[in-house]
Amino acid sequence: MFQSKLKSISFPISWFHGPQFAYIYVAQDKGFFEKEGLKVTIIENQGSEITSMNIGRGEYPLGMIGAESAMIARSKGLPLTVVAVADKVNPNGITCHKKSRISKPKHLIGKKIGVTLGSNAYQQYLAFTKKEELNRDKIEEIPISGNGHEWLNSNVDCHVLYPFLNESIAETKKLNVNSLLFYDYGIKTYGQTLVANSKIVKKDPALIMKVTRAIVKGIQYERDHPKEALEISFKLNPQIKKDKEYHEKVFWKRLELDKKLDNPKKAGNGLQDRHVWETTKDLLESLDLLESEVNLGEFFTNEFIDKKESKGKSPTILARGIFKSFKDKKKITKVLKDIDFE
């Protein structure tokens, strides 16, 4: 395909360049974007909240955003539609210095916890403390920077962020730490999601389909060929090689989270489950973080996923189709033990 025929778009990620976005670099390097007739410039951004606003205002057609941030932005009136999920296990949690002796949620009482206000991680922290019935008045929450240098310098006991990031930097600095992953305590929501401007979804669905198809191919390729995906991340981002040990740890710790899924083999198919979004919505409503009603039927869709590439239909669509066939045939519905709804 000739370069002159490629459509140029800018694509924002919600943080700095690094192997946690390896699937996007894979889509770039393996020519998945180009095969769709696209020339994509990957833009690093300063968090999901800012990226949500950028996409909602139409500055970018699509980009990567944390799941909760996308839903909160939608409740504020921003036209956002989630078209795929990259990380099905939300990586947020709390990482603490081992000397602080925090191995259970109740151990946080009386400790100094570093938080980045307004971050996706902080939103989940609020849900976590509420679910675990922790009295936040007895926890000293201290606003700190996103890079957590205050935590690294032991000014606070713990840092609320992605444990795979905090653990990686701690290990390179020979610090002894341990983490509490919110997902392990019932906060089972998504991590990074592919989000499109809803107006562009309606106006130019072909573009959304092309980008989604390329990204999902990248996600699956990353899961199938992780070592190559990691090398591609360094190849396309030579500036991060100076911290190679750290970025390697980040990459492998993130992929390790897939093992927490009921079916890890489906971690890379990009498909979303309505139940997960219902859980997310209930969580955010319980914290009064949604400013208006979010219609899930309009908020997310699997229609842009190439079913052949993802090796199966959307679990929600599949289930509806099965139960409809029973109803249409007026048969007694029995327990469907052989159906995998993951």
Side-chain angles (χ1 to χ4, degrees):
M1 183 175 292
F2 295 104
Q3 193 78 359
S4 60
K5 293 184 179 180
L6 300 179
K7 178 180 176 64
S8 296
I9 68 167
S10 293
F11 183 91
I13 55 178
S14 57
W15 200 239
F16 303 110
H17 285 296
Q20 64 266 36
F21 297 108
Y23 48 90
I24 302 173
Y25 310 134
V26 166
Q28 186 86 290
D29 187 72
K30 304 302 291 186
F32 298 156
F33 287 130
E34 189 172 359
K35 289 176 183 177
E36 297 291 346
L38 302 170
K39 180 182 179 182
V40 176
T41 300
I42 304 170
I43 308 293
E44 64 179 19
N45 219 337
Q46 301 296 309
S48 288
E49 184 175 358
I50 293 175
T51 309
S52 296
M53 291 189 288
N54 293 150
I55 296 172
R57 293 168 181 167
E59 296 169 28
Y60 305 110
L62 307 90
M64 301 308 301
I65 300 175
E68 289 90 355
S69 294
M71 183 172 285
I72 290 172
R74 174 83 186 205
S75 78
K76 293 180 179 179
L78 288 174
L80 300 177
T81 301
V82 184
V83 296
V85 58
D87 296 316
K88 295 191 177 185
V89 175
N90 195 303
N92 282 306
I94 303 176
T95 304
C96 307
H97 294 289
K98 273 195 174 180
K99 61 185 179 182
S100 298
R101 298 183 179 181
I102 298 171
S103 59
K104 298 179 181 179
K106 64 181 182 180
H107 296 161
L108 295 172
I109 299 298
K111 302 296 184 179
K112 294 180 179 180
I113 310 300
V115 298
T116 304
L117 302 177
S119 68
N120 180 261
Y122 183 65
Q123 294 159 1
Q124 283 223 338
Y125 165 76
L126 296 177
F128 169 74
T129 54
K130 183 173 183 178
K131 189 174 187 302
E132 294 299 314
E133 299 181 344
L134 300 177
N135 185 345
R136 289 176 54 221
D137 290 336
K138 296 183 178 180
I139 299 175
E140 189 175 354
E141 298 172 1
I142 301 175
I144 65 174
S145 58
N147 61 25
H149 69 267
E150 298 94 337
W151 171 69
L152 292 171
N153 292 331
S154 295
N155 295 330
V156 294
D157 296 292
C158 309
H159 185 200
V160 177
L161 191 70
Y162 292 180
F164 72 70
L165 293 177
N166 276 337
E167 289 173 1
S168 297
I169 189 65
E171 288 175 13
T172 62
K173 294 182 177 296
K174 310 302 181 184
L175 298 175
N176 293 318
V177 301
N178 64 288
S179 299
L180 304 178
L181 188 71
F182 298 150
Y183 192 91
D184 291 337
Y185 292 87
I187 313 296
K188 297 185 181 297
T189 59
Y190 290 138
Q192 286 291 307
T193 58
L194 177 59
V195 181
N197 180 290
S198 304
K199 295 179 180 178
I200 298 178
V201 169
K202 295 179 180 179
K203 182 180 178 180
D204 194 354
L207 173 62
I208 305 302
M209 173 68 83
K210 290 176 180 179
V211 177
T212 303
R213 191 156 48 202
I215 291 290
V216 172
K217 283 183 180 179
I219 296 170
Q220 189 61 63
Y221 194 95
E222 174 199 42
R223 264 46 176 216
D224 293 340
H225 309 278
K227 290 183 179 179
E228 183 182 355
L230 179 59
E231 288 307 309
I232 289 173
S233 297
F234 289 122
K235 174 184 173 183
L236 269 60
N237 300 283
Q239 75 280 7
I240 68 174
K241 286 184 178 180
K242 60 183 177 65
D243 297 312
K244 189 173 183 179
E245 180 187 0
Y246 163 73
H247 287 294
E248 286 178 338
K249 290 179 181 294
V250 165
F251 178 80
W252 292 112
K253 286 178 181 293
R254 172 181 152 264
L255 290 191
E256 191 74 14
L257 294 175
D258 288 347
K259 295 180 180 180
K260 294 183 178 293
L261 296 170
D262 291 336
N263 191 340
K265 292 182 179 179
K266 295 185 177 181
N269 66 14
L271 292 170
Q272 305 165 72
D273 190 316
R274 184 182 179 90
H275 175 69
V276 177
W277 283 120
E278 288 173 342
T279 298
T280 305
K281 183 179 178 181
D282 290 344
L283 181 155
L284 296 177
E285 285 181 336
S286 71
L287 297 170
D288 294 323
L289 291 175
L290 298 184
E291 295 188 10
S292 66
E293 173 65 20
V294 174
N295 184 327
L296 293 181
E298 298 175 352
F299 174 65
F300 84 96
T301 179
N302 286 317
E303 68 176 295
F304 296 105
I305 303 287
D306 187 328
K307 303 306 189 298
K308 292 182 180 179
E309 292 292 338
S310 64
K311 301 178 183 179
K313 292 185 177 181
S314 155
T316 303
I317 295 174
L318 178 61
R320 287 177 179 171
I322 292 171
F323 288 118
K324 185 177 185 299
S325 68
F326 272 92
K327 183 178 180 181
D328 291 345
K329 294 177 182 179
K330 297 182 179 180
K331 293 183 178 180
I332 297 175
T333 303
K334 297 181 179 180
V335 177
L336 305 177
K337 296 182 179 179
D338 297 325
I339 299 173
D340 181 4
F341 290 105
E342 162 62 24

